[in-house]
Amino acid sequence: MILIDGPAELSGEIIVQGAKNSTLPLLAAALLCKGQTVLHNCPDLTDVDTAVRILEHLGCRCKREDHTLTVDNALSGCEIPHNLMRGMRSSIVFLGAIVSRCGEARLCFPGGCELGPRPIDLHISALEKLGVEISESGGCLYCRAPHGIRGAYISLAFPSVGATENIMLAAACSEGTTVIANAAREPEIIDLAEYLNRCGSRIYGAGESCVIIDGVKELTGCEHHVMPDRIVSCTYMAAAAVTGGSITLRGVETSHILPMLSPFEESGCQVRQLGGTVSVLAPRRLRAVKHIRTMPYPGFPTDAQPLVMSMASVGSGTSIFVENIFENRYKHASELQRLGAKIKVEGKVAVVEGVERLTGAPVQAADLRGGAALVVAGLAAHGKTEVSGTEYIQRGYEDIAGTLADLGARIREV
């Protein structure tokens, strides 16, 4: 549980952690590479711990020293047990790497945050085009590539990040050339491609809607610096905004956060970017953010929507949100209402009437980013806020309470 005694104006500097959504596919990619992979700026998160346990179950040796994680690839298995797969939804990204290395894979359907249907049919149909035979029984997938992975043209019906990553991992050591049309363009895709290319892959066009992969015979592990977490950056920017604070984030890739800057500027915040730093100076009272529509990158990210909704809850005026990615992405709205927010949800649309002040109350996190949004709102609320369900928040944030306390918040985790 996280306990917050608000409000308190935030100020100071922090260094942004490595990106969870980049680290997990990078760890899956380490299975493809002979020898040793060294990941620097690797965040200390429960999701990363789960990924490490998966690697160790498969025979790899993993060692962490502070924010450096070393993986010695000694792959000896092709099956991920139910308890590890259920630990996080991103676990499906191991499928492409395992079937590429072993010629077969057995794993159950993934778990994690319940954000509504996140079907893996795109993953399955894409792998089938690469020559993988897949059957399902008892909630588990049985995959085999009797003739190896063979290059193919794959047009995705939706630019899925996970499906794009799985195709890249499966095709990196394939026979022939694979083309992904309507590929996801997120920065995490670029980070994965840069790592794989450093290991010997031939991947072109990462970050664009068409990605080309020329298969190679083998890959060799390397050292790689995990990109900074753009959603964590947005989280602390939102925390400064709702408290009328002024903070500086260091270690930021400023180009990655451009799609999220509009609501901060629209709400009256001054945002300055210089090199790898971003400074946020918030007004005494935020303005409404008018209209937020979540879209695949380079549109506004669904992961940032709950954080901006916390800002809109205390902004002057009406803000409208349209959630186009996950149908259950508004679970935090009812909890924000417990703090005094005025929010009305109809299907994928949420209308937020900003109030002058929130009041502390017990709230429950139901997913990772929604939980972070409740912490952000609690910083602005008058009185004591108790946020339970912190196991969700720990999946993506390194000691969020300690970081906010360093910025002046009266907050602790118990």
Side-chain angles (χ1 to χ4, degrees):
M1 179 180 293
I2 292 178
L3 306 179
I4 308 166
D5 187 8
E9 184 176 310
L10 301 189
S11 64
E13 296 185 357
I14 59 173
I15 299 175
V16 176
Q17 69 186 59
K20 173 184 84 80
N21 289 337
S22 185
T23 301
L24 302 179
L26 288 170
L27 290 175
L31 290 173
L32 296 172
C33 304
K34 293 184 176 180
Q36 190 176 87
T37 288
V38 180
L39 295 182
H40 300 291
N41 198 34
C42 183
D44 187 6
L45 309 169
T46 56
D47 263 13
V48 174
D49 291 341
T50 300
V52 166
R53 291 200 303 272
I54 289 174
L55 291 175
E56 291 175 338
H57 176 83
L58 294 171
C60 299
R61 295 182 296 273
C62 302
K63 180 182 179 181
R64 176 186 281 276
E65 293 183 3
D66 195 19
H67 287 93
T68 296
L69 182 61
T70 302
V71 179
D72 281 310
N73 190 358
L75 185 65
S76 59
C78 62
E79 181 176 3
I80 303 178
H82 178 269
N83 64 309
L84 292 178
M85 284 298 295
R86 296 294 295 174
M88 61 179 185
R89 298 194 76 155
S90 301
S91 54
I92 192 65
V93 79
F94 282 90
L95 176 57
I98 295 174
V99 77
S100 175
R101 276 296 308 275
C102 302
E104 60 178 332
R106 296 187 297 275
L107 45 83
C108 298
F109 288 102
C113 294
E114 296 302 325
L115 302 176
R118 188 161 9 176
I120 63 171
D121 58 318
L122 291 178
H123 300 247
I124 292 173
S125 62
L127 291 174
E128 286 177 337
K129 290 183 179 179
L130 294 173
V132 181
E133 298 174 356
I134 302 176
S135 60
E136 177 190 344
S137 178
C140 292
L141 296 173
Y142 298 85
C143 311
R144 57 189 296 269
H147 306 294
I149 305 294
R150 299 186 181 278
Y153 176 84
I154 300 170
S155 180
L156 295 175
F158 177 83
S160 162
V161 175
T164 301
E165 291 167 344
N166 244 332
I167 297 167
M168 291 168 61
L169 293 170
C173 294
S174 66
E175 291 282 343
T177 298
T178 296
V179 177
I180 311 173
N182 197 29
R185 300 170 59 188
E186 274 73 1
E188 292 80 6
I189 299 292
I190 300 174
D191 205 29
L192 176 61
E194 288 178 349
Y195 163 79
L196 287 170
N197 285 343
R198 194 171 288 127
C199 294
S201 289
R202 297 175 185 167
I203 301 174
Y204 313 97
E208 302 297 332
S209 57
C210 182
V211 176
I212 300 172
I213 306 141
D214 287 331
V216 298
K217 288 189 175 181
E218 66 177 31
L219 301 175
T220 303
C222 70
E223 292 193 37
H224 183 77
H225 193 87
V226 179
M227 62 172 271
D229 198 310
R230 57 199 175 101
I231 306 301
V232 167
S233 298
C234 180
T235 302
Y236 293 119
M237 291 171 67
V242 299
T243 62
S246 174
I247 69 169
T248 296
L249 306 176
R250 299 197 177 276
V252 180
E253 179 53 63
T254 53
S255 63
H256 295 173
I257 66 170
L258 288 177
M260 297 180 282
L261 291 187
S262 177
F264 288 94
E265 295 169 341
E266 193 174 354
S267 66
C269 295
Q270 296 180 37
V271 181
R272 299 188 178 94
Q273 304 175 65
L274 180 62
T277 67
V278 175
S279 297
V280 179
L281 174 61
R284 303 313 305 171
R285 175 83 192 276
L286 295 173
R287 298 193 296 266
V289 296
K290 302 301 183 184
H291 197 169
I292 294 290
R293 182 184 298 271
T294 65
M295 298 290 288
Y297 193 88
F300 188 84
T302 180
D303 280 358
Q305 173 261 109
L307 303 162
V308 176
M309 186 175 287
S310 289
M311 293 169 52
S313 296
V314 292
S316 59
T318 301
S319 302
I320 298 175
F321 294 78
V322 181
E323 175 56 55
N324 292 304
I325 308 298
F326 296 129
E327 68 179 35
N328 288 343
R329 190 50 122 168
Y330 287 139
K331 289 184 177 180
H332 54 282
S334 60
E335 298 302 303
L336 289 173
Q337 289 173 337
R338 293 177 181 271
L339 299 174
K342 293 183 178 179
I343 305 172
K344 183 177 181 181
V345 176
E346 289 286 347
K348 63 180 184 178
V349 178
V351 179
V352 183
E353 296 282 353
V355 298
E356 287 194 15
R357 59 184 282 173
L358 300 174
T359 303
V363 291
Q364 172 77 41
D367 58 69
L368 168 56
R369 305 305 175 186
L374 295 178
V375 172
V376 168
L379 297 172
H382 290 252
K384 298 185 183 298
T385 298
E386 300 176 358
V387 183
S388 54
T390 51
E391 66 274 10
Y392 290 105
I393 300 172
Q394 292 165 354
R395 292 183 47 235
Y397 293 87
E398 283 189 349
D399 189 20
I400 190 172
T403 301
L404 290 168
D406 289 342
L407 294 173
R410 294 184 292 271
I411 182 174
R412 61 191 176 97
E413 186 164 1
V414 296

